[in-house]
């Protein structure tokens, strides 16, 4: 655990979540890149839709009122994207969808029985993922949001 403590910090993120439509506070782990200059790299999949994705580098500083390191701005985008998914069909097992996307190289974090956030890494072609999301949505199984789409993934959608 000492190695983890030396390499990682818990960072506070405060933002307006379009998903929840309210001011949201979320703490996430980040790898220390340059502690003296306040540069960190996100090591979690965000749950509620801040404008940041896994492996993005960002600036954080200690906030006196919060008493912890707090996100201020993204400094380097990784090219990864975050998609939030809620299961709307009663009794549908979200693990079926999570496993399908995992096979396509999209990791996710489950929050409860009906909600998960998913990482789309830069190398994955998002248009194929989006097609599957659209199918599930058209079938009345899910609704999804794209709070943090990278320029690469946005371009893939336009080109299809």
């Amino acid at each position: 655990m000492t190695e983890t403590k030396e390499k990682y910090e818990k960072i506070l993120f405060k933002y307006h979540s379009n998903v929840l439509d309210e001011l949201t506070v979320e703490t996430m782990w980040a790898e220390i890149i340059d502690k003296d200059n306040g540069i960190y790299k996100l090591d979690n999949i965000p749950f509620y839709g801040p404008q940041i994705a896994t492996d993005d580098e960002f600036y954080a500083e200690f906030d006196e009122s919060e008493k912890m390191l707090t996100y201020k701005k993204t400094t380097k985008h990784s090219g990864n994207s975050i998609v939030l998914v809620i299961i709307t069909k009663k009794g549908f097992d979200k693990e079926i969808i999570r496993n399908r996307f995992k096979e396509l190289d999209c990791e996710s974090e489950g929050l409860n029985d009906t909600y998960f956030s998913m990482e789309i890494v830069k190398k994955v072609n998002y248009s194929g993922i989006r097609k599957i999301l659209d199918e599930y949505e058209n079938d009345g199984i899910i609704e999804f949001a794209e709070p943090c789409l990278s320029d690469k993934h946005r371009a893939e959608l336009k080109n299809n």
Side-chain angles (χ1 to χ4, degrees), residues 54 79-81 105-106 119-125 152-153:
T54 44
N80 296 343
S81 296
D105 218 6
C106 297
E119 167 193 59
I120 294 88
V121 291
K122 184 178 182 177
K123 69 179 180 178
V124 170
N125 184 322
K152 176 192 180 277
H153 292 144

Side-chain angles (χ1 to χ4, degrees), residues 14-73:
K14 280 173 83 171
Y15 55 92
H16 182 271
S17 169
N18 291 333
V19 175
L20 300 174
D21 196 27
E22 63 186 35
L23 184 65
T24 304
V25 176
E26 187 172 358
T27 56
M28 293 183 270
W29 286 104
E31 182 181 351
I32 300 167
I33 300 299
D34 182 348
K35 192 171 186 133
D36 293 340
N37 290 308
I39 303 298
Y40 301 86
K41 182 164 71 170
L42 190 62
D43 194 47
N44 274 130
I45 301 175
F47 273 123
Y48 300 115
Q51 294 296 305
I52 192 165
T54 44
D55 295 335
D56 284 0
E57 289 185 14
F58 62 92
Y59 172 71
E61 63 185 18
F62 189 81
D63 184 306
E64 278 301 327
S65 63
E66 299 293 346
K67 301 287 185 235
M68 70 183 298
L69 280 169
T70 303
Y71 167 88
K72 295 300 178 189
K73 68 177 183 189

Side-chain angles (χ1 to χ4, degrees), residues 135-152:
E135 286 171 14
Y136 278 123
E137 191 170 64
N138 293 337
D139 290 345
I141 296 171
I142 69 164
E143 288 181 9
F144 68 95
E146 301 166 318
C148 186
L149 275 190
S150 69
D151 291 342
K152 176 192 180 277

Side-chain angles (χ1 to χ4, degrees), residues 70-88:
T70 303
Y71 167 88
K72 295 300 178 189
K73 68 177 183 189
T74 302
T75 55
K76 185 176 171 188
H77 295 280
S78 61
N80 296 343
S81 296
I82 302 295
V83 173
L84 308 176
V85 179
I86 186 161
I87 308 298
T88 54

